[in-house]
Amino acid sequence: MSFFGFGQSAEISIELSDGEKRKQVDIRNEEGKKEKLFLFYDGETVSGKVHVLLKPGKKLDHMGIRVEFIGQIELFYDRGNHHEFTSVVKELAGPGELAKNCVYPFEFLHVEKPHESYTGANVQLRYFIRVTAVKRLSDIVKEMDVAVHTLSSFPEINNSIKMEVGIEDCLHIEFEYNKSKYHLRDVIVGKIYFLLVRIKIKHMELAIIKRETTGSGPANTYNENETIAKYEIMDGAPVRGESIPIRLFLSGYDLTPTMREVCRKFSTRYYLNLVLVDEEERRYFKQQEITLWRKGDLRTIRKERRELAALQSRDRPAQDTPSERMAKADQAEKEALEKEMEKENEATDES
């Protein structure tokens, strides 16, 4: 697939080397619309070709052609200042004149992509490939956005959440969630216990709140809350001793992993908000932060570990033969995957 940008005497297109088979995902842009972008992970190589196509009868005088891979954070209220946390540059051609169409290969080997792509209310974190043909008056520039997902392994510690909500001599409720860290396709399982009920409750709901925080310092911090989901737990008055089960599936909602203090520019956190409404429309609520993470499938994890083992094997002393190094890498990979599957099975049995 090619993406074109128009210049005075030439067009530039960017083509990924594995574009025909690479997965695409929907990413929300600034306007709130979803667009499909090629998906990459941290450490993956980004490679392809840059096509410079001259218009009929035209030549291109330039002062150099370069390609860049950039990871950038942009605050919508401070658009003039972009924070680049990843920037790699390759020179494709020195100054000269092009009289015919040219193709330049490029490769960014195992480039770092430490953060997940994100577009929120006040901030955007994006990755893109930018090609620049430098000219005397106005450069010819073409950008191609790509998506990045950050994968996490099963958390070592995942404690349950137990809390109490109460109004003295009127209401006493205990609620419990099975864990505090959930992957994006997980299920929130819990229970609510009514130990004392002396007010007339009309209904109760559970909401997932996304809180986006941008800026730094008390005077320059902006908080934006968005209700991602609402789940009605109960409609009607509960009685003392009653317990209400909770089961909320996360896969149907537009969620991202929790992001904390990304380059000291922004954070995205998620909260479970339990709300009770009485017959006089008074609202009682209790909020609890949860951690969301993106679960990698076994194929992706296996591929990443194989590539990492191959890279590490190059740096090892020469006493191991290539076959011995591969055997050790395969065995280590097998043991790691078995441990991870055991943890997932234990968590499934508990829920």
Side-chain angles (χ1 to χ4, degrees), residues 171-270:
L171 181 68
H172 187 189
I173 298 174
E174 289 183 353
F175 60 92
E176 178 179 357
Y177 304 119
N178 60 333
K179 49 191 176 183
S180 57
K181 301 174 183 178
Y182 299 88
H183 62 77
L184 299 185
R185 303 185 66 82
D186 215 334
V187 183
I188 296 175
V189 178
K191 280 188 177 181
I192 297 176
Y193 303 93
F194 292 88
L195 304 180
L196 177 64
V197 183
R198 290 180 179 170
I199 58 176
K200 295 181 179 179
I201 297 175
K202 187 168 65 174
H203 75 269
M204 180 166 55
E205 65 186 24
L206 180 67
I208 300 176
I209 307 294
K210 181 175 81 171
R211 180 172 299 158
E212 177 186 290
T213 304
T214 54
S216 59
N220 298 315
T221 299
Y222 300 87
N223 289 315
E224 191 77 27
N225 290 339
E226 179 185 356
T227 301
I228 302 296
K230 277 189 178 181
Y231 172 72
E232 186 174 73
I233 299 173
M234 179 195 67
D235 185 11
V239 296
R240 181 180 179 181
E242 187 174 2
S243 66
I244 307 292
I246 298 173
R247 185 172 291 267
L248 178 59
F249 293 83
L250 299 180
S251 58
Y253 302 104
D254 187 11
L255 300 168
T256 68
T258 295
M259 307 171 80
R260 293 188 175 93
E261 298 297 330
V262 179
C263 299
R264 296 185 178 180
K265 296 294 181 181
F266 76 98
S267 299
T268 301
R269 292 180 167 89
Y270 290 88

Side-chain angles (χ1 to χ4, degrees), residues 6 14 53 92 141 148 163-164 170 185 228 231 278 305 311 316 323 330 335 337 340 343-344:
F6 296 94
I14 304 170
L53 308 176
L92 300 179
V141 180
V148 170
M163 296 189 70
E164 295 185 3
C170 294
R185 303 185 66 82
I228 302 296
Y231 172 72
D278 65 16
R305 286 178 175 162
L311 285 173
R316 288 176 183 168
S323 59
D330 290 341
E335 292 175 357
L337 287 172
E340 188 159 331
K343 291 178 182 178
E344 291 192 16

Side-chain angles (χ1 to χ4, degrees), residues 6-187:
F6 296 94
Q8 295 177 349
S9 57
E11 296 177 347
I12 295 177
S13 70
I14 304 170
E15 179 185 1
L16 294 179
S17 57
D18 56 355
E20 294 183 356
K21 60 181 180 179
R22 180 166 290 276
K23 183 180 178 181
Q24 293 183 325
V25 294
D26 289 325
I27 296 292
R28 196 177 301 278
N29 59 24
E30 278 187 59
E31 291 75 31
K33 298 178 181 178
K34 290 186 177 181
E35 55 183 349
K36 285 194 174 295
L37 300 179
F38 290 109
L39 177 63
F40 286 87
Y41 298 98
D42 183 28
E44 275 195 300
T45 295
V46 180
S47 62
K49 297 177 182 178
V50 172
H51 299 264
V52 180
L53 308 176
L54 299 181
K55 292 184 178 180
K58 297 284 187 179
K59 294 182 179 181
L60 176 63
D61 291 311
H62 64 87
M63 301 173 65
I65 302 175
R66 67 175 182 266
V67 60
E68 303 166 85
F69 184 85
I70 297 173
Q72 176 182 281
I73 296 174
E74 178 184 16
L75 299 174
F76 295 157
Y77 54 81
D78 189 18
R79 291 183 180 273
N81 296 318
H82 297 159
H83 174 74
E84 293 184 359
F85 55 86
T86 294
S87 180
V88 189
V89 183
K90 301 279 187 181
E91 295 294 334
L92 300 179
E97 178 184 88
L98 293 184
K100 62 179 181 179
N101 298 337
C102 289
V103 179
Y104 301 99
F106 68 89
E107 182 180 53
F108 298 106
L109 189 65
H110 303 296
V111 63
E112 288 187 0
K113 300 176 279 295
H115 309 297
E116 175 139 343
S117 299
Y118 175 78
T119 301
N122 295 312
V123 64
Q124 182 180 44
L125 188 154
R126 60 187 283 248
Y127 294 86
F128 57 97
I129 302 165
R130 180 165 63 201
V131 179
T132 305
V134 182
K135 299 182 66 180
R136 290 183 182 275
L137 296 179
S138 60
D139 298 342
I140 302 175
V141 180
K142 180 58 192 172
E143 294 182 354
M144 174 184 174
D145 281 78
V146 298
V148 170
H149 282 176
T150 56
L151 302 180
S152 302
S153 57
F154 197 86
E156 292 288 339
I157 300 175
N158 199 353
N159 297 324
S160 61
I161 300 173
K162 295 182 179 180
M163 296 189 70
E164 295 185 3
V165 179
I167 302 172
E168 188 175 357
D169 297 328
C170 294
L171 181 68
H172 187 189
I173 298 174
E174 289 183 353
F175 60 92
E176 178 179 357
Y177 304 119
N178 60 333
K179 49 191 176 183
S180 57
K181 301 174 183 178
Y182 299 88
H183 62 77
L184 299 185
R185 303 185 66 82
D186 215 334
V187 183

